[in-house]
Amino acid sequence: IYFLLLRLPLLGPQPLPLLGPVTPVLLLPVDLLEFGRPRLLRVLRLGRCRGRRRGRRGRHGLRGGDGDGGGSGEAPPGGGPTAIGSTVITTEIEGELWRVRLTDNLGDARFDGVRPAALQSAHLVLMCFSTRDPESLASLRRRWVTQLWAAGSEAPTVVVGVGGQRADGDDEPKEQVDEELGSAMAERLGSLAFVECDSMASARDVLGEAFKAAKEFYSLQWQLRPLEAAAAGSGAEPAWKLHEKRGAEEDGGEALTEDAVRARLSVLGRTPTRQHAYLRCDVQELGLTSLDALSSFPHLQFVNVSKNRLCSLEPLGALRRLLHLNASHNHLMRTQTFSPPSYLETVDMSYNTIAEVGDWSAHAYLRELNLRGNFISRVGEGLLTNKELRVLDLSENNIGAIEGLDGLGLTSLLLAHNRLQSLEGVSSLCALQALDVRHNAIESVKALQDDDVPRLRALCVADNRISKICEVAGLAGFEFLCDLVLSPNPVAELPFFRSQVLHRLPRLRSLDNIAVEAEEKIKAEVVYGVDVEARREIFEELLPKESFVDRRMMKEEGLAELEMEKFGTQGDAGTYGADRAEAEASSSTVGGRTPLQHAAFRRRLAMARAGGWPAGVADFSDFGPPFVKVMVTDDDLPQILEAAVEGGVQRLLLGGSAVTGQGARSVVEAMSEGSASLAHVDFTGCTAIAGAAKDLLAALPTDRGCSIEAADCGLKREKEQALRNESEASAAALSAAEQERQRSAGLVEQYAGKEEALEDAAAEACFDLEEPPPPPPPLCHPLRWRPGVSWEAQASLRACVAKNPQGIGRDSLSMTTKAGQKIQLSLSELVELRELRRLMLIEWGCEHHDDFNEDDDSPSLDSIGALSGKPLPEDFLAAFGPVLESARLLCFMLWEGVHPSDDPALPIRRKKEEWEADWAERQKRCYALSARARSKYDSGDPPNGVASGQLIAHFTYLALRGSLPPPDKCEPKSHSAFGLKVLRDCPRPDPERGIDLHDALSSGEVAIEAITGRGFGRDSVILRLLSSSEEDLEITVRQGTIFQHPGWQHRQNLLVCMEYVVMVPAGGLVVKPLSAYSMNSSCASPKGSRMTLTEFYFDDAKVLTSQGLVWDYFDGCFQK
């Protein structure tokens, strides 16, 4: 799985030192699988990003393009997709030209150091998966989504299904991800949309639409709260070492030759030794991965190696007279990749993947340094000794504070597109003339004082959070300030903004990149009445008998009235300006929310399903800025409660929401359900709660420690305290619940350690095959002693020890076999058996170190040796340790059919004839058991997709530990032996909402198209329902509903852990992921398996509270 990063600065000249025009940044990390990368990246390398979606509006939020996504490429030529490390193209987005930067392979361990900063600076996240591999879709949830949350990224995400082409000879996959499933999963992941990419044309569509969505987020990003500094990934130094080592080995890379260098030399001049030589070499855009040839040209002073694929600049250390270096648009991960030339003056390393500024103390004459477009989180102290440095560009990074620049003689400092919160630190730059801090999170410029920075001429603070006009007045002391870029900022929404600024800063020549005319300055003076008193005096002197009338159209008092009317205060547009009122009005109704608000709400739902973020907390109260703010209403509560119960969260925050008293009652009802882990709800500030306080207190399950926070809701203090339920009994109940959660999580973690062994057991016991699988290892093999499957080997060992208590060795060369025969070994056979034991341990992963002379061909029983390498299973060591001295292990090997005459070149496996006969007999007995179970439970004509008998057959198999009686005596156990109830005997009461799924299937209103199981827990069951009704339906999937495997796959059956209400549109298809418990911990989990709905259900509410309790209950049933 890979990442793809894009950044978009607005096209325009940006030479240093220049306060350039608008330079927005777009960063799209992409979780992109190998087969998908060539298609998307080829589009970008060709520069064909023009979007055309055939005029169709998608159902998922991304609208069809109108041909404005195109552009011309600047990508380096050559190389396969793995070679793409940093690429920049030019593309048109909604009529504006943008440069798009792509950085691939961010999922690689080499990029651990930059990944957090990259995620924090993202404006859109494309999460790609293979539509031919459902497991790749599951990886988005397991890995990348949580990484985004951990980084604090608020960027919207788009899930992209990449349709890989089959290689010749490949079979059609059994399971694919279609549009319905992709859309359902994208919604549950909190994504903005789901789009499919299965051709070059659709790839252009995806990228074109992604660019527009990212641009929209960029325009609103200034409203976001500043993020905490991203923690650098672990192992940073080994990562860059590995990166630089691999750089020259990548497929498709080019090594620079001396002939290529000679062909690109220019600027004939004199060297310091008074010789004539070419001083400049331009080898950009050649796809280079190595520069070794340059070391043969020591007279070079100007070197341009930009737009290549360089991971290291080590050969440049030989150019001792190098003055100017351009290494932009490469794959560099650090700045100091070469020994420093003594006279280096200008360096451009922009648009690489650098995580740290590095130490530049060796470059005493450095004047200009460009590190724009990297992933630097802090400046550090690497520049403190560079007293000659005049221009520093750190734009488009992830820097949170101005530091490490004390005492430098900088004249231009560019820090646009970072995460600065203030200008603290600028005061030490007394020579500064130009400062660009556009697109940060700065609320005040008070730290910028004319006494500290007296020469400031140009200042750009656009796209920040400055809201007060007094901040502008504070700049009046800068005598040389002539160019100011202030818009967009909230303060720019004040009426007559330009006039207000020009009144306070009359020396400006340019405001917001628009030249200030003399007429504007005069108008500003008129508004503020600078000459009113003088005019009054002249008027009264000339016309003493007339009354002076001020005929100005706008006055300072009028400005104040307009500001009070629009913002409620004077001289302050507020944190978010006029956007707040518009966004809050749209967020209060589900239908009025913007796509970004919908995505933000779905993201909070996804966090709740994942267990809360932070763990155990579902926060629907603090959404942040207006463009993602959602006012929760009663209509949102079903989704919120479903997500909270699925994730097992304990605290639900609904403070400040628009929830009514009836909505609050529904929340408390959800808390009262036995399976719900929800223990606390915060309704702070919800005034509607006051009218329902009595009902809430009566229904609140205080015995489970549940509580409600109702501060600022208009309740009396006594009721507030009663709802808080602060008592010792409550604390004890909460503590017990937490202990059970931790125990259950521990059991799930233990199960994860057994999955490999259980998968092998499932393959061995899959009786749906026509032919038996390959013979497995015998029970003496360490593979059969792994956790989860060792019970069969332990049972066989007990039988062996009962007949052979002494084992076998030098003192006892005879034993009784499993068949009851007495056998006698010779010393040579014993040595051969020991050799087979050694080979068996090596096959497991051990390393055997002998302590005998290898040249001695005579059999030896005295040499033991030692073991290292992969640890043996604990049960194996407990049974046979010390393994190399164990007579019991040798005896058990013979017991299980291993013979000294076996070929040591072959793996130790059961004898093929014996295994196939045994497997066929077991298959025959299992089929007989299934037939009887189905005749008992699947009689009649059940709806399609409904069957129950195989569940009882499988449970009977588990209860008998796989030791089934002969076919004519195979009888299934009763369902009551496992605590199950069957609907035809014990019908369930009607659900409070919707139609029971079984009833809807029986009536024909809906039909099951497919049921798929994958793992257990969250989203483990994918239910596809097809409606035949002419009306929309609400279908209820009850808690305790059971899904089975239709055949002998020896995998877990699944038990729905909560009640779901599924909205099925009239005549439509709906895909609903369900969370389910595993019912049998001794089996492997489903892997995209087809499943069927059973007529059984399980309704013990106490058991249904955790996965651990479910396993405890059913494992107990199987062991009776």
Side-chain angles (χ1 to χ4, degrees):
I1 295 178
Y2 297 83
F3 266 110
L4 181 67
L5 288 84
L6 293 80
R7 288 188 175 185
L8 292 178
L10 190 65
L11 189 63
Q14 297 178 15
L16 287 173
L18 174 67
L19 265 177
V22 180
T23 54
V25 181
L26 173 65
L27 173 64
L28 293 89
V30 179
D31 184 9
L32 193 59
L33 295 173
E34 176 69 25
F35 50 81
R37 297 165 63 219
R39 183 168 294 129
L40 289 176
L41 299 182
R42 182 183 171 199
V43 171
L44 292 164
R45 285 204 296 274
L46 297 176
R48 299 173 180 174
C49 300
R50 188 171 303 277
R52 294 186 180 90
R53 289 186 61 88
R54 303 175 180 86
R56 177 171 68 90
R57 179 189 291 268
R59 57 180 287 194
H60 312 296
L62 289 184
R63 288 182 290 181
D66 51 5
D68 58 0
S72 58
E74 297 178 12
T82 57
I84 298 291
S86 183
T87 304
V88 175
I89 68 168
T90 303
T91 186
E92 183 177 308
I93 305 176
E94 296 180 329
E96 295 180 332
L97 287 178
W98 296 65
R99 276 198 299 269
V100 182
R101 171 197 168 168
L102 304 91
T103 303
D104 193 20
N105 282 331
L106 195 70
D108 195 295
R110 292 177 287 170
F111 294 89
D112 286 347
V114 301
R115 188 181 300 113
L119 295 177
Q120 282 194 348
S121 53
H123 292 126
L124 183 73
V125 180
L126 293 179
M127 300 189 296
C128 301
F129 70 95
S130 167
T131 57
R132 295 168 51 81
D133 180 13
E135 183 60 29
S136 64
L137 177 58
S139 74
L140 298 184
R141 182 194 70 203
R142 289 196 305 265
R143 182 178 181 188
W144 299 119
V145 172
T146 53
Q147 285 202 28
L148 282 170
W149 298 343
S153 172
E154 293 281 354
T157 61
V158 175
V159 175
V160 182
V162 182
Q165 298 179 356
R166 297 199 310 273
D168 294 339
D170 285 356
D171 296 330
E172 184 71 23
K174 295 180 180 180
E175 184 187 1
Q176 298 194 57
V177 180
D178 57 15
E179 182 179 359
E180 288 75 17
L181 178 56
S183 301
M185 295 307 298
E187 182 174 350
R188 290 176 72 82
L189 292 175
S191 293
L192 189 66
F194 167 72
V195 290
E196 292 184 88
C197 175
D198 53 9
S199 65
M200 289 293 291
S202 61
R204 289 192 288 270
D205 292 345
V206 169
L207 292 171
E209 296 296 333
F211 293 163
K212 286 188 276 188
K215 180 186 174 185
E216 179 184 4
F217 179 79
Y218 166 81
S219 67
L220 298 167
Q221 190 185 21
W222 62 270
Q223 298 181 11
L224 292 172
R225 289 175 296 239
L227 295 173
E228 296 295 329
S234 59
E237 183 173 347
W240 63 253
K241 284 184 177 180
L242 179 62
H243 176 70
E244 293 177 9
K245 179 181 178 181
R246 290 183 183 175
E249 302 173 355
E250 288 196 2
D251 296 336
E254 297 288 340
L256 186 62
T257 64
E258 292 189 8
D259 291 339
V261 174
R262 293 189 183 96
R264 290 166 174 80
L265 294 174
S266 62
V267 186
L268 184 64
R270 299 183 68 177
T271 68
T273 58
R274 298 183 178 275
Q275 296 176 326
H276 283 86
Y278 286 106
L279 306 180
R280 182 184 182 106
C281 182
D282 295 276
V283 288
Q284 73 274 21
E285 300 188 70
L286 297 178
L288 300 177
T289 58
S290 173
L291 296 174
D292 291 342
L294 279 178
S295 58
S296 301
F297 298 84
H299 299 302
L300 289 175
Q301 298 179 13
F302 303 81
V303 172
N304 181 2
V305 294
S306 63
K307 297 182 181 179
N308 285 293
R309 295 161 51 191
L310 300 171
C311 296
S312 174
L313 302 176
E314 184 176 358
L316 298 184
L319 309 183
R320 308 312 300 171
R321 298 175 178 85
L322 185 64
L323 299 178
H324 307 282
L325 170 63
N326 183 354
S328 62
H329 302 277
N330 278 287
H331 298 182
L332 304 177
M333 292 191 68
R334 59 190 185 109
T335 56
Q336 308 304 311
T337 62
F338 59 103
S339 56
S342 302
Y343 306 105
L344 198 61
E345 295 183 3
T346 65
V347 176
D348 185 353
M349 290 185 177
S350 58
Y351 298 104
N352 281 278
T353 55
I354 297 170
E356 297 179 355
V357 171
D359 184 2
W360 293 85
S361 58
H363 303 280
Y365 301 100
L366 186 66
R367 293 187 293 106
E368 297 183 5
L369 177 60
N370 185 355
L371 295 176
R372 171 188 291 264
N374 284 287
F375 303 109
I376 300 170
S377 295
R378 59 185 302 269
V379 179
E381 300 180 353
L383 296 172
L384 288 176
T385 60
N386 296 95
K387 302 302 181 182
E388 299 298 321
L389 188 63
R390 296 294 178 265
V391 179
L392 178 60
D393 189 350
L394 291 172
S395 302
E396 302 176 30
N397 280 284
N398 198 44
I399 297 170
I402 302 174
E403 58 181 358
L405 304 177
D406 298 346
L408 296 184
L410 290 176
T411 58
S412 297
L413 177 60
L414 291 83
L415 284 165
H417 309 288
N418 283 283
R419 51 181 185 82
L420 300 175
Q421 301 180 48
S422 74
L423 295 179
E424 297 289 341
V426 177
S427 58
S428 64
L429 303 175
C430 58
L432 193 64
Q433 299 179 27
L435 176 62
D436 184 359
V437 289
R438 179 188 180 90
H439 206 83
N440 280 278
I442 298 170
E443 296 183 357
S444 174
V445 295
K446 290 181 179 179
L448 194 60
Q449 297 293 324
D450 58 290
D451 293 338
D452 301 323
V453 192
R455 303 178 187 178
L456 189 65
R457 295 186 299 106
L459 175 64
C460 178
V461 289
D463 271 323
N464 279 284
R465 308 178 72 182
I466 300 172
S467 62
K468 299 178 181 179
I469 196 64
C470 63
E471 298 291 337
V472 177
L475 300 174
F478 291 94
E479 297 182 0
F480 300 103
L481 182 62
C482 54
D483 298 310
L484 176 64
V485 182
L486 191 57
S487 179
N489 262 299
V491 69
E493 298 182 20
L494 293 175
F496 292 86
F497 163 69
R498 287 182 67 88
S499 295
Q500 293 203 47
V501 174
L502 294 177
H503 168 69
R504 291 165 173 82
L505 304 175
R507 287 187 289 268
L508 288 181
R509 295 183 305 181
S510 170
L511 176 60
D512 296 335
N513 293 319
I514 300 175
V516 176
E517 304 291 341
E519 183 180 353
E520 280 190 289
K521 294 185 178 181
I522 294 173
K523 287 182 178 179
E525 298 302 315
V526 170
V527 170
Y528 282 89
V530 173
D531 63 341
V532 169
E533 291 302 322
R535 289 168 52 202
R536 183 190 302 275
E537 291 177 2
I538 295 173
F539 184 89
E540 291 177 350
E541 181 181 346
L542 297 177
L543 300 171
K545 296 183 179 181
E546 300 290 335
S547 299
F548 177 78
V549 178
D550 188 353
R551 300 184 184 278
R552 289 177 295 162
M553 298 294 293
M554 177 55 65
K555 305 177 184 178
E556 187 174 2
E557 295 79 5
L559 285 179
E561 292 177 3
L562 290 175
E563 290 172 355
M564 292 297 295
E565 179 181 343
K566 188 174 183 180
F567 303 107
T569 186
Q570 184 176 349
D572 188 354
T575 305
Y576 305 112
D579 289 343
R580 172 186 286 277
E582 297 175 5
E584 288 185 349
S586 66
S587 70
S588 59
T589 59
V590 175
R593 292 171 185 162
T594 66
L596 287 176
Q597 288 172 334
H598 274 297
F601 178 66
R602 289 197 295 267
R603 174 176 295 198
R604 295 300 175 94
L605 292 175
M607 289 179 174
R609 289 191 188 95
W613 201 271
V617 179
D619 188 355
F620 290 88
S621 61
D622 185 13
F623 280 85
F627 79 95
V628 291
K629 183 176 179 60
V630 174
M631 182 67 70
V632 173
T633 66
D634 287 1
D635 294 336
D636 299 313
L637 289 179
Q639 296 182 72
I640 292 175
L641 293 174
E642 177 184 299
V645 176
E646 274 189 316
V649 300
Q650 297 91 56
R651 296 172 58 83
L652 175 60
L653 308 184
L654 295 171
S657 64
V659 172
T660 66
Q662 184 58 39
R665 294 184 185 94
S666 67
V667 174
V668 174
E669 289 176 7
M671 297 174 71
S672 302
E673 294 179 2
S675 60
S677 60
L678 191 59
H680 177 78
V681 181
D682 189 340
F683 286 119
T684 299
C686 301
T687 55
I689 302 302
K694 184 177 180 181
D695 295 340
L696 298 180
L697 190 57
L700 187 67
T702 54
D703 58 321
R704 288 180 37 228
C706 295
S707 60
I708 292 176
E709 178 56 60
D712 301 328
C713 294
L715 293 176
K716 294 182 179 180
R717 184 180 299 274
E718 295 79 13
K719 284 192 176 181
E720 286 184 10
Q721 286 297 115
L723 289 171
R724 290 181 182 133
N725 190 24
E726 296 173 338
S727 65
E728 293 184 3
S730 173
L734 294 176
S735 176
E738 178 60 27
Q739 291 177 8
E740 173 54 33
R741 278 191 293 271
Q742 293 180 4
R743 186 188 75 90
S744 185
L747 291 175
V748 172
E749 186 175 355
Q750 290 178 18
Y751 177 86
K754 301 188 296 184
E755 277 198 288
E756 181 182 4
L758 294 175
E759 282 293 330
D760 291 344
E764 180 182 335
C766 182
F767 300 117
D768 290 340
L769 304 175
E770 294 182 0
E771 299 292 334
L779 294 178
C780 59
H781 200 290
L783 287 170
R784 304 305 296 268
W785 288 81
R786 290 173 292 175
V789 297
S790 62
W791 58 270
E792 187 177 2
Q794 290 174 337
S796 181
L797 178 62
R798 287 192 293 270
C800 174
V801 172
K803 291 189 177 182
N804 303 279
Q806 300 298 322
I808 193 167
R810 182 198 299 269
D811 299 329
S812 177
L813 295 176
S814 63
M815 67 163 289
T816 302
T817 66
K818 187 184 296 187
Q821 298 177 347
K822 198 80 172 179
I823 62 172
Q824 181 77 25
L825 296 183
S826 65
L827 286 178
S828 61
E829 287 177 323
L830 184 59
V831 172
E832 291 172 353
L833 186 63
R834 291 179 58 179
E835 175 64 11
L836 290 176
R837 178 185 63 187
R838 185 180 73 87
L839 295 175
M840 180 179 70
L841 296 176
I842 290 175
E843 182 187 356
W844 162 259
C846 293
E847 296 178 7
H848 185 212
H849 308 282
D850 294 318
D851 58 2
F852 63 91
N853 185 0
E854 295 182 359
D855 297 330
D856 185 2
D857 295 333
S858 61
S860 174
L861 295 175
D862 298 322
S863 59
I864 296 176
L867 288 177
S868 62
K870 183 179 178 180
L872 288 162
E874 292 183 4
D875 289 345
F876 188 85
L877 290 173
F880 304 115
V883 175
L884 295 179
E885 302 177 25
S886 175
R888 176 180 291 184
L889 177 56
L890 296 176
C891 180
F892 192 47
M893 290 172 66
L894 292 168
W895 178 270
E896 288 298 325
V898 179
H899 196 272
S901 62
D902 290 345
D903 188 351
L906 298 177
I908 297 178
R909 295 293 182 268
R910 291 185 61 178
K911 301 298 185 288
K912 183 176 180 180
E913 298 78 8
E914 174 199 349
W915 158 249
E916 290 182 351
D918 179 51
W919 188 88
E921 179 61 26
R922 292 170 64 193
Q923 182 190 50
K924 184 177 179 181
R925 297 185 181 192
C926 286
Y927 279 8
L929 178 61
S930 293
R932 286 182 170 81
R934 288 168 181 163
S935 66
K936 180 177 181 180
Y937 292 104
D938 293 337
S939 58
D941 188 18
N944 181 47
V946 179
S948 306
Q950 183 61 30
L951 176 76
I952 300 302
H954 190 207
F955 277 11
T956 302
Y957 179 91
L958 294 175
L960 297 176
R961 289 279 186 167
S963 300
L964 298 181
D968 58 339
K969 297 181 179 179
C970 282
E971 291 294 336
K973 290 182 175 291
S974 170
H975 62 273
S976 60
F978 308 107
L980 306 181
K981 297 179 181 178
V982 63
L983 285 171
R984 63 189 178 196
D985 298 332
C986 302
R988 305 181 80 165
D990 292 336
E992 295 182 3
R993 181 183 171 196
I995 308 171
D996 186 280
L997 174 60
H998 289 87
D999 294 338
L1001 292 171
S1002 299
S1003 64
E1005 293 177 285
V1006 296
I1008 294 176
E1009 185 182 77
I1011 302 173
T1012 305
R1014 184 173 296 279
F1016 62 93
R1018 182 159 50 105
D1019 298 343
S1020 54
V1021 176
I1022 306 298
L1023 175 63
R1024 304 170 70 96
L1025 293 177
L1026 184 62
S1027 172
S1028 58
S1029 173
E1030 297 179 355
E1031 298 179 353
D1032 294 345
L1033 299 174
E1034 289 186 341
I1035 304 300
T1036 303
V1037 182
R1038 312 293 291 276
Q1039 181 187 36
T1041 299
I1042 297 173
F1043 296 95
Q1044 69 164 17
H1045 291 277
W1048 283 102
Q1049 298 188 30
H1050 201 61
R1051 295 186 179 273
Q1052 298 166 349
N1053 302 286
L1054 300 176
L1055 175 69
V1056 177
C1057 62
M1058 57 174 289
E1059 186 165 298
Y1060 289 90
V1061 178
V1062 185
M1063 306 300 297
V1064 184
L1069 173 67
V1070 67
V1071 177
K1072 180 63 177 179
L1074 309 174
S1075 295
Y1077 293 130
S1078 158
M1079 299 180 72
N1080 29 300
S1081 63
S1082 58
C1083 297
S1085 60
K1087 299 293 184 184
S1089 312
R1090 183 175 69 88
M1091 304 190 77
T1092 59
L1093 174 69
T1094 73
E1095 293 188 336
F1096 297 117
Y1097 66 92
F1098 183 77
D1099 61 356
D1100 190 332
K1102 293 182 179 180
V1103 174
L1104 289 169
T1105 56
S1106 73
Q1107 177 64 78
L1109 291 175
V1110 171
W1111 275 340
D1112 291 345
Y1113 177 84
F1114 285 101
D1115 287 349
C1117 293
F1118 299 146
Q1119 294 170 7
K1120 288 182 180 178

